[in-house]
Amino acid sequence: MWRIWTIVAVGLVLISSGMTAQQSQIGLPIGATPEPVTIEDLDGAPVDLRTFLEAKPVVIEFWATWCPLCKALLPQMADASRHYGDRVQFLAIAVAVNQTQRSIRRHLDKHPLPFPVLWDAGGRAVRAFMTPTTSYVVVLDARGQVAYTGTGDEQDIGAAIEQALGTERP
């Protein structure tokens, strides 16, 4: 099993370090509804992702402490969270590659994220969302359907959220 995770980790690092912003061509197709999965919070308690997918749009970033594109994307994600946080749920799903729940908590003590961080120990969310790399962002509309997917640090998160909300950006 460790060999599979090592191969996945190397692939994620190579892909995330060389990818630029992309949208609608990767991961889940626009209009798809992701398979419901249960992952964990950072304390190991089960969390059904459906609890976040009810009533309002959701922005999910597949994230890692070691991901340079995730770090570069953080200011935009934080700004979007402040601007849209009352109308949109934000989540980071930490991939279980070269990090642990403990190392993530230590990282977040020094570098907090402005939204919840969940733990995908078994890769269930990675598979359900067809995650190609870290920094992969999925925006789901209020019905739980994919409105946007993209990777990299040059994504326009605000425009993706406006699309999910069904409004135009000023």
Side-chain angles (χ1 to χ4, degrees):
M1 186 68 159
W2 67 269
R3 291 177 77 188
I4 293 171
W5 283 114
T6 301
I7 292 167
V8 169
V10 170
L12 285 172
V13 169
L14 291 174
I15 291 169
S16 68
S17 64
M19 270 190 144
T20 58
Q22 297 179 19
Q23 59 182 336
S24 305
Q25 301 297 316
I26 58 166
L28 287 172
I30 302 301
T33 302
E35 171 189 336
V37 294
T38 298
I39 57 177
E40 300 174 0
D41 65 18
L42 293 178
D43 295 321
V47 176
D48 185 342
L49 284 183
R50 284 181 291 201
T51 61
F52 292 100
L53 306 178
E54 299 171 352
K56 61 183 178 179
V58 181
V59 176
I60 301 171
E61 179 185 6
F62 285 83
W63 175 88
T65 59
W66 46 260
C67 170
L69 293 176
C70 299
K71 183 177 180 179
L73 188 59
L74 179 57
Q76 188 180 168
M77 292 290 287
D79 286 347
S81 177
R82 279 190 294 278
H83 185 76
Y84 297 101
D86 59 333
R87 297 181 287 159
V88 177
Q89 174 68 54
F90 286 77
L91 294 173
I93 297 180
V95 298
V97 178
N98 290 339
Q99 57 185 1
T100 64
Q101 290 161 298
R102 185 175 176 191
S103 68
I104 293 167
R105 281 194 302 274
R106 281 194 314 264
H107 178 85
L108 292 173
D109 285 344
K110 295 178 185 173
H111 311 284
L113 294 182
F115 37 81
V117 177
L118 301 176
W119 173 244
D120 191 21
R124 289 181 294 277
V126 165
R127 286 187 300 279
F129 284 83
M130 299 172 62
T131 305
T133 183
T134 53
S135 81
Y136 175 58
V137 173
V138 178
V139 179
L140 303 171
D141 64 21
R143 297 172 310 214
Q145 294 179 329
V146 175
Y148 168 89
T149 63
T151 63
D153 61 340
E154 296 180 13
Q155 301 177 68
D156 189 342
I157 302 301
I161 292 169
E162 292 291 340
Q163 181 178 353
L165 290 170
T167 59
E168 291 295 320
R169 212 172 179 185

